[in-house]
């Protein structure tokens, strides 16, 4: 069971290896004004992303994944009441830099794509025009060169007959093609970081596999770091080197994907793995996590997972910090050392997924 | 095989089912379901899997007569419900319910939970007021909803609770079969298990039959006894869950299984992926012969010329592919 080295083929850098991370997030939190007062949606978010590294941000809906991605680009809703902490990106603090500096970084050095590409594409312009404009605005290249490079980019993201597709309008494309177009638009300026928020959730699994392969290849060949936001642990396992798990607005675990899946250190991560039908004997009762995520209006003190945690004891009501757990891992649970929590290794051998292992 | 004769165990028999729609401009016909045959056995969970647009929801709606087949037959317990007089047809339909993915669409935001659960009983004019109330409470109890939730409104409930309300609503009429169309797709992972467990428990206690439609392989293979794989309006494979998910015969099923992302460490994930090229073609003008041929890595000239027969290659295991019985065909 000790054979859980981080996967080599999964992105080239290890954030803990001493080199400067590309982005370093510390104490990030966001507050919203609402009719019921000010809500703290996320808090105390710490993580690093190295150049070219692929990191998955996982957790259930409402845990703060999207808002964390948007915070990095300061794409904040009108009712936001405050941003805490710092986001150091290549020496610039994105949480505090001027709007002008932010505009120069957004889209050019950090790009973002979403679950529904239609929301980001303008229906009245051809896809070629939209991609070329992004490039022209950020780099000032001429019309002709912009079109050339757009064609080249469309080819790279696997659009068949790009010279025809370049003049299509978004509605003429299928969901999978639109997502490819979005990826082309986001990568045309050669960003150092791509934030992808559930980019394959609306797609069929066969198309999802194509898009994930594309993201993996592009990040590898151009050394673009990927922050992949998803609720799907399988998607993270197939795409990323590291996995950051969020719960109720906080980061609760940060580890190499293989380590987190094989031997999760936080009871929530372990519980999530246990609840997957892939890892349970067929037709048997599926384990679930009792209760529900505490409401943003009524967060408990101390460990936010306490009310649902089978390992809660006296002491868990104390404030939990993200602790260093050795070998580049972090966990927000003071009991991590004494708990020996099951992961995929313990579940999979008698589960249907075992039959899939080694399948085509 | 196309004669409307039903298996004794069959609660539903589908024979050469076809459902067509006119496109909105009325210039073309969408063959959403184009010649499907199967039986659903009493008490089983019959899974249907396939990519979006393959016709799963259309089959589900046809099974409960929410829409009329364009051709072919759907028999309930060997009888054609469409041959029944109107009143009898209406009361017969109560035995066959359907639940969809989005509980918000199924629940009226201005009605209390209890009124929503009572509504089908009132529409069906079942019993008197006290009896209806008793049955509604029983149904809520069955799905694990505390009585005090009855006074609340949908927006005061979590997604998992709302889906339980929808299930309770369907149960009040004491159906024999429920078509479940993507019923856990909108739920978070940690809650999904609870709802799937509830379906299993209701089946055990009430002898229900399910047709379980989903695009999620892990879910369908967990809950179903048999799985049908659908592609562009047709079934391409049908068999016992273990067979279909561990020894898939059709290249499309093999590709689907291999595309499923696995939440396992890389040392355990193993195996090569078949990454299918392209996307599902339009059902307005499907490819000739085998509909999967435009994406199939094994396609031969014959595949464009001839539609593959629907064959029982192993006991209870059906497949539509010219070459599925060739040794070394499967890439394993
Ligand atoms: N504009 C907003 N006003 C108030 N609360 C918000 C707003 N946007 C997000 N939230 C809250 O912040 C939390 C995190 O949301 P989000 O980042 O969208 O979660 P995820 O992407 O993980 O599903 C949720 O509780 C959500 O209700
Ligand atoms: N009411 C309708 N009018 C026109 N086309 C429809 C209608 N309902 C479904 N279709 C078409 O029929 C095909 C099958 O749809 P559907 O049964 O919803 O597939 P699935 O549930 O597998 O995603 C699709 O091409 C869809 O666009
Ligand atoms: S701190 Fe306590 S309650 Fe929280 S996860 Fe750890 S053991 Fe469970
Ligand atoms: S009939 Fe031909 S095209 Fe169709 S699945 Fe079989 S080999 Fe592939
Ligand atoms: Mg989100
Ligand atoms: Mg559907």
């Amino acid at each position: 069971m000790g054979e859980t080295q981080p996967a080599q083929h999964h992105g080239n850098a290890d954030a803990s290896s001493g080199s400067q991370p590309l982005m370093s997030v510390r104490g990030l939190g966001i507050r919203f004004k609402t009719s019921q007062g000010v809500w703290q949606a996320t808090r105390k978010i710490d993580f690093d992303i190295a150049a070219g590294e692929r990191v998955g941000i996982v957790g259930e809906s409402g845990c703060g994944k999207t808002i964390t991605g948007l915070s990095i680009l300061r794409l904040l809703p009108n009712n936001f009441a405050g941003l805490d902490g710092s986001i150091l990106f290549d020496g610039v603090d994105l949480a505090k830099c001027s709007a002008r500096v932010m505009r120069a970084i957004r889209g050019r050095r950090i790009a973002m794509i979403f679950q529904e590409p239609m929301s980001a594409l303008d229906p009245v312009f051809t896809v070629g025009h939209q991609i070329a404009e992004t490039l022209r605005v950020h780099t000032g290249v001429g019309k002709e060169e912009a079109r050339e490079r757009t064609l080249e980019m469309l080819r790279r993201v696997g659009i068949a007959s790009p010279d025809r597709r370049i003049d299509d309008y978004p509605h003429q494309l299928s969901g999978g093609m639109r997502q490819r177009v979005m990826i082309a638009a986001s990568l045309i300026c050669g960003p150092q970081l791509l934030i992808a928020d559930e980019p394959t959730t609306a797609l069929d699994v066969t198309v999802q596999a194509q898009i994930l392969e594309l993201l993996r290849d592009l990040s590898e060949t151009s050394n673009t770091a990927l922050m992949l936001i998803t609720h799907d642990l399988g998607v993270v396992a197939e795409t990323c080197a590291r996995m950051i798990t969020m719960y109720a607005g906080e980061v609760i675990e940060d580890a190499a994907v293989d380590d987190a899946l094989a031997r999760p250190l936080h009871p929530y991560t372990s519980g999530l793995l246990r609840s997957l039908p892939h890892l349970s004997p067929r037709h048997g009762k599926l384990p679930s996590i009792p209760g529900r995520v505490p409401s943003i209006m009524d967060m408990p003190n101390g460990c936010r997972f306490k009310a649902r945690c089978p390992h809660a004891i006296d002491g868990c009501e104390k404030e939990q910090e993200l602790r260093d757990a050795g070998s580049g891992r972090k966990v927000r649970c003071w009991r991590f050392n004494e708990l020996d929590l099951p992961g995929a290794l313990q579940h999979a051998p008698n589960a249907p997924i075992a039959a899939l292992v080694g399948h085509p | 095989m196309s004669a409307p004769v039903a298996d004794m165990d069959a609660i539903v028999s589908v024979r050469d089912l076809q459902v067509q729609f006119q496109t909105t401009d009325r210039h073309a016909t969408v063959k959403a379901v184009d010649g499907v045959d199967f039986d659903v056995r009493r008490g089983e969970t019959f899974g249907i899997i396939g990519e979006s647009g393959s016709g799963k929801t259309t089959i589900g709606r046809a099974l409960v007569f929410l829409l009329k087949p364009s051709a072919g037959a759907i028999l309930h317990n060997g009888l054609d419900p469409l041959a029944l007089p109107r009143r009898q047809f209406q009361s017969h339909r109560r035995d066959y319910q359907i639940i969809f993915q989005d509980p918000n669409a199924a629940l009226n935001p201005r009605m209390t939970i209890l009124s929503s659960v009572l509504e089908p009983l009132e529409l069906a004019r079942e019993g008197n007021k006290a009896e209806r109330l008793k049955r509604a409470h029983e149904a809520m109890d069955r799905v694990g909803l505390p009585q005090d939730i009855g006074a609340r409104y949908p927006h005061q409930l979590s997604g998992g609770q709302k889906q339980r309300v929808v299930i309770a609503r369907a149960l009040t009429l004491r159906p024999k079969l429920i078509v479940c169309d993507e019923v856990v797709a909108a739920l978070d992972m940690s809650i999904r298990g609870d709802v799937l467990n509830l379906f299993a428990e209701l089946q055990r206690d009430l002898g229900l039959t399910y047709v379980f439609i989903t695009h999620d392989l892990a879910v369908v293979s967990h809950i179903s006894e048999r799985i049908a794989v659908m592609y562009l309006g047709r079934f391409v494979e049908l068999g016992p869950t273990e067979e279909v998910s561990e020894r898939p015969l059709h290249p499309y099923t093999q590709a689907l299984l291999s595309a499923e992302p696995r939440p396992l460490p890389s040392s355990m994930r193993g195996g090569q992926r078949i990454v299918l090229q392209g996307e599902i073609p339009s059902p307005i003008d499907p490819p000739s012969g085998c509909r999967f041929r435009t994406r199939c890595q094994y396609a031969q000239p014959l595949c464009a010329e001839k539609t593959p027969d629907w064959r029982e290659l192993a006991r209870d295991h059906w497949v539509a592919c010219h070459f599925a019985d060739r040794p070394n065909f499967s890439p394993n």
Side-chain angles (χ1 to χ4, degrees):
Chain A
M1 211 174 297
E3 68 223 3
T4 51
Q5 299 144 349
Q8 249 80 49
H9 59 280
H10 257 182
N12 44 23
D14 176 349
S16 63
S17 66
S19 63
Q20 271 290 358
L22 171 69
M23 181 170 75
S24 192
V25 174
R26 288 293 174 274
L28 181 65
I30 184 163
R31 284 165 281 134
F32 291 115
K33 286 191 274 281
T34 72
S35 54
Q36 286 121 311
V38 172
W39 290 357
Q40 181 89 44
T42 57
R43 62 167 198 173
K44 301 200 288 189
I45 295 186
D46 294 354
F47 63 91
D48 290 342
I49 296 184
E53 192 185 22
R54 292 197 293 280
V55 178
I57 311 278
V58 302
E60 294 179 276
S61 57
C63 70
K65 305 181 294 297
T66 294
I67 213 67
T68 299
L70 294 173
S71 301
I72 291 170
L73 285 173
R74 288 227 308 260
L75 295 169
L76 298 167
N78 295 333
N79 66 333
F80 108 97
L83 199 60
D84 316 312
S86 63
I87 305 162
L88 231 53
F89 178 79
D90 221 5
V92 181
D93 185 353
L94 303 180
K96 296 183 185 72
C97 68
S98 70
R100 198 175 53 85
V101 171
M102 190 72 239
R103 270 199 306 277
I105 290 177
R106 191 190 294 141
R108 171 152 198 195
R109 300 180 59 198
I110 307 178
M112 185 159 180
I113 58 174
F114 301 91
Q115 171 169 338
E116 188 32 77
M118 262 326 234
S119 65
L121 289 168
D122 191 328
V124 304
F125 292 110
T126 65
V127 297
H129 177 84
Q130 299 186 49
I131 301 173
E133 271 308 293
T134 312
L135 186 63
R136 279 162 55 84
V137 165
H138 283 295
T139 63
V141 301
K143 260 207 157 107
E144 221 134 282
E145 188 186 340
R147 189 172 168 94
E148 268 320 297
R149 286 179 47 190
T150 299
L151 270 176
E152 169 56 27
M153 199 65 222
L154 287 174
R155 199 167 294 124
R156 271 187 74 195
V157 299
I159 300 257
S161 28
D163 37 349
R164 265 201 1 249
R165 290 303 186 188
I166 193 168
D167 296 318
D168 275 356
Y169 289 89
H171 74 267
Q172 293 172 285
L173 304 175
S174 69
M177 292 238 266
R178 278 184 211 136
Q179 200 53 285
R180 285 176 197 269
V181 165
M182 271 318 297
I183 293 170
S186 65
L187 296 182
I188 189 86
C189 297
Q192 292 156 288
L193 172 64
L194 174 64
I195 303 174
D197 189 356
E198 307 270 5
T200 57
T201 304
L203 303 175
D204 278 314
V205 339
T206 60
V207 181
Q208 165 169 280
Q210 297 166 1
I211 299 288
L212 293 179
E213 189 175 76
L214 175 67
L215 286 173
R216 238 172 6 232
D217 287 354
L218 291 173
S219 112
E220 222 138 73
T221 50
S222 54
N223 202 39
T224 306
L226 177 67
M227 176 173 156
L228 178 68
I229 295 173
T230 173
H231 65 282
D232 189 328
L233 292 172
V235 164
V236 172
E238 306 265 0
T239 318
C240 299
R242 210 148 53 83
M243 167 169 136
I244 292 173
T245 312
M246 292 186 67
Y247 183 78
E250 298 177 338
V251 169
I252 53 113
E253 182 155 6
D254 180 343
V257 169
D258 285 353
D259 295 343
L261 295 176
R263 192 171 173 274
L265 293 183
H266 197 284
Y268 174 67
T269 320
S270 175
L272 268 189
L273 275 168
R274 248 160 56 93
S275 70
L276 296 177
H278 312 66
L279 299 177
S280 268
R282 201 169 272 143
H283 307 309
K285 195 168 161 140
L286 286 169
S288 61
I289 303 177
R292 47 197 284 209
V293 183
S295 156
I296 193 169
M297 300 155 65
D298 185 25
M299 279 295 168
N301 291 324
C303 175
R304 294 187 160 186
F305 187 57
K306 190 176 53 201
R308 305 173 77 186
C309 181
H311 307 286
I313 54 169
D314 277 351
C316 297
E317 72 289 347
K318 291 206 188 78
E319 205 57 25
Q320 295 298 315
E321 299 308 324
L322 194 60
R323 289 158 194 264
D324 199 327
S327 18
R329 306 187 62 164
K330 296 197 181 102
V331 59
R332 198 182 291 278
C333 168
W334 67 299
R335 300 196 65 199
F336 78 90
N337 241 335
E338 49 184 314
L339 301 175
D340 191 13
L341 302 170
L345 284 177
Q346 286 71 37
H347 296 301
N350 42 22
I353 200 166
L356 291 178
V357 176
H359 229 284
Chain B
M1 142 122 268
S2 58
V5 181
D7 181 326
M8 284 301 289
D9 282 344
I11 182 165
V12 171
S13 308
V14 175
R15 294 292 173 266
D16 194 25
L17 177 67
Q18 299 180 32
V19 182
Q20 294 165 5
F21 299 107
Q22 291 299 307
T23 53
T24 36
D25 60 12
R26 303 203 149 263
H27 288 312
T29 305
V30 181
K31 294 177 177 172
V33 178
D34 196 29
V36 166
D37 286 89
F38 64 98
D39 286 343
V40 180
R41 297 169 189 157
R42 204 177 315 283
E44 80 169 333
T45 298
F46 184 92
I48 304 180
I49 187 143
E51 287 175 279
S52 59
S54 58
K56 306 181 298 297
T57 295
T58 305
I59 288 196
R61 288 161 53 94
L63 287 184
V64 299
F65 290 94
L66 270 182
L67 56 80
K68 234 180 108 186
S70 311
I74 296 175
L75 307 179
H76 286 173
N77 282 318
L79 294 169
D80 181 1
L82 291 174
L84 293 170
R86 222 183 94 91
R87 295 268 310 268
Q88 251 175 294
F89 175 70
Q90 290 304 345
S91 70
H92 170 85
R93 276 184 59 181
R94 289 176 209 153
D95 290 348
Y96 295 77
Q97 296 283 323
I98 186 164
I99 303 175
F100 295 102
Q101 167 172 350
D102 183 9
N104 296 312
L107 297 175
N108 183 335
R110 281 177 294 276
M111 268 164 76
T112 65
I113 297 306
L114 183 61
S115 332
S116 278
V117 177
L118 274 167
E119 190 182 43
L121 289 165
E122 280 162 359
L123 290 175
R125 303 213 179 84
E126 287 280 316
N128 60 34
K129 203 167 170 197
E131 283 159 356
R132 290 198 290 266
L133 205 60
K134 184 160 167 279
R135 259 165 84 170
H137 279 139
E138 271 168 17
M140 287 179 61
D141 208 34
R142 273 249 54 113
V143 302
L145 287 171
Q147 302 281 319
D148 62 296
I149 277 193
R152 292 200 215 165
Y153 289 88
H155 75 269
Q156 295 168 303
L157 270 55
S158 69
Q161 284 176 320
K162 278 185 271 198
Q163 200 56 293
R164 282 171 197 266
V165 174
V166 175
I167 300 168
R169 239 171 92 92
L171 288 180
T172 53
L173 295 174
R174 299 186 177 142
K176 300 193 173 89
L177 177 142
I178 305 180
V179 176
C180 305
D181 189 356
E182 303 281 7
V183 286
V184 295
L187 303 178
D188 265 317
M189 313 175 244
S190 71
I191 295 152
R192 202 172 282 190
D194 275 338
V195 175
L196 289 173
N197 290 339
L198 172 64
F199 276 111
E201 186 188 307
L202 293 173
Q203 180 167 57
R204 230 180 12 252
D205 296 353
L206 308 175
L208 287 169
T209 305
Y210 296 130
V211 174
F212 213 91
I213 295 171
T214 168
H215 67 279
D216 189 325
L217 260 160
V219 165
V220 83
S221 67
H222 182 79
I223 195 155
S224 311
E225 269 83 40
R226 290 193 297 153
I227 298 180
V229 183
M230 203 168 178
Y231 189 77
L232 216 50
R234 297 242 171 98
F235 280 3
V236 296
E237 184 158 1
L238 164 62
T241 299
E242 283 73 9
E243 286 283 312
V244 172
S245 57
E246 285 160 33
R247 283 172 293 280
L249 293 173
H250 197 281
Y252 177 62
T253 313
Q254 292 166 357
L256 265 188
L257 289 171
S258 109
E260 170 82 358
R262 289 159 224 167
L264 291 174
S266 49
S267 61
M268 297 176 66
R269 228 174 305 122
Q272 250 190 319
R273 270 172 177 289
I274 310 166
V275 175
L276 280 186
Q277 298 305 305
E279 295 173 38
I280 190 165
S282 158
I284 293 173
D285 184 22
S288 66
C290 173
R291 297 183 170 200
F292 184 56
R293 72 178 163 81
T294 54
R295 300 169 81 192
C296 180
Q297 57 176 327
Y298 308 106
Q300 303 292 318
L302 174 68
C303 305
E305 288 154 24
K306 191 172 173 289
T307 304
D309 293 329
W310 183 231
R311 297 184 288 163
E312 188 175 17
L313 275 194
R315 203 182 129 70
D316 225 17
H317 192 166
W318 295 73
V319 63
C321 165
H322 293 306
F323 304 108
D325 50 348
R326 300 263 172 101
N328 303 325
F329 171 76
S330 126
N332 290 299

